[in-house]
């Protein structure tokens, strides 16, 4: 009888040790996953803003009535998106709060940007004094 209780106790000790070692690894994995997700989304939004600015400057310098379209995927974490004179501004929700991503253009920007998740076609059209941006 004493041998069976010793085996049971050893089994419980081994299982306890395994649980104690596994819990920190799970917490570490979860934390790393959240940080990676935030970095990926921030990078995506920064790339979208850069692509819009590059296209806007390109059509503006080609002159009126130049236009181009680009397809972009807007991630779910975008809180707001706006065009303000020569700036594109995105506010993105991250684990540490709301991050602001701004791209500055050399041309006047006018229009609106989507903030809901999805794939959008942005039309970028040159005018005499500015570039109009709208989406479908």
């Amino acid at each position: 009888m004493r041998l069976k209780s010793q085996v049971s106790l050893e089994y419980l000790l081994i299982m306890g040790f395994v649980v104690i070692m596994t819990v920190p690894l799970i917490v570490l994995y979860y934390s790393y996953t959240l940080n990676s997700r935030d970095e990926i989304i921030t990078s995506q939004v920064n790339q979208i803003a850069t692509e819009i600015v590059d296209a806007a400057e390109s059509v503006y310098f080609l002159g009126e009535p130049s236009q181009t379209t680009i397809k972009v995927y807007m991630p779910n974490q975008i809180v707001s998106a706006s065009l303000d004179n020569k700036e594109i501004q995105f506010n993105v929700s991250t684990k540490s709060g709301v991050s602001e991503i701004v791209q500055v253009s050399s041309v006047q920007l006018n229009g609106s940007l989507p903030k809901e998740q999805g794939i959008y076609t942005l039309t970028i059209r040159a005018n005499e004094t500015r570039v109009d941006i709208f989406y479908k």
Side-chain angles (χ1 to χ4, degrees):
M1 186 61 121
R2 186 172 249 229
L3 186 58
K4 287 184 182 179
S5 63
Q6 181 181 355
V7 170
S8 296
L9 182 62
E10 288 174 357
Y11 179 74
L12 284 173
L13 287 173
I14 290 171
M15 290 308 294
F17 181 73
V18 168
V19 167
I20 288 173
M21 294 304 291
T22 305
V23 169
L25 291 175
I26 291 172
V27 169
L28 183 65
Y29 172 77
Y30 181 72
S31 174
Y32 179 75
T33 303
L34 284 179
N35 287 338
S36 296
R37 191 189 104 225
D38 286 347
E39 288 176 20
I40 289 169
I41 290 169
T42 303
S43 177
Q44 274 183 325
V45 172
N46 193 30
Q47 184 178 2
I48 290 167
T50 302
E51 191 174 347
I52 293 169
V53 166
D54 289 346
E57 289 174 350
S58 177
V59 297
Y60 180 78
F61 292 120
L62 286 173
E64 190 176 10
S66 297
Q67 98 174 17
T68 188
T69 59
I70 56 175
K71 271 194 172 176
V72 295
Y73 169 74
M74 296 297 215
N76 189 33
Q77 289 73 14
I78 294 178
V79 176
S80 67
S82 64
L83 299 171
D84 185 29
N85 291 327
K86 294 184 176 186
E87 289 183 350
I88 295 178
Q89 179 180 351
F90 288 99
N91 290 325
V92 180
S93 175
T94 63
K95 183 179 84 169
S96 59
V98 177
S99 293
E100 185 177 73
I101 297 172
V102 177
Q103 279 289 344
V104 178
S105 173
S106 61
V107 299
Q108 185 79 21
L109 304 172
N110 184 40
S112 62
L113 295 171
K115 66 177 184 178
E116 289 82 26
Q117 179 180 11
I119 298 174
Y120 294 91
T121 301
L122 300 179
T123 302
I124 302 167
R125 183 177 300 147
N127 284 330
E128 283 184 30
T129 59
R130 67 180 189 276
V131 174
D132 293 325
I133 300 173
F134 51 96
Y135 64 93
K136 293 181 197 177

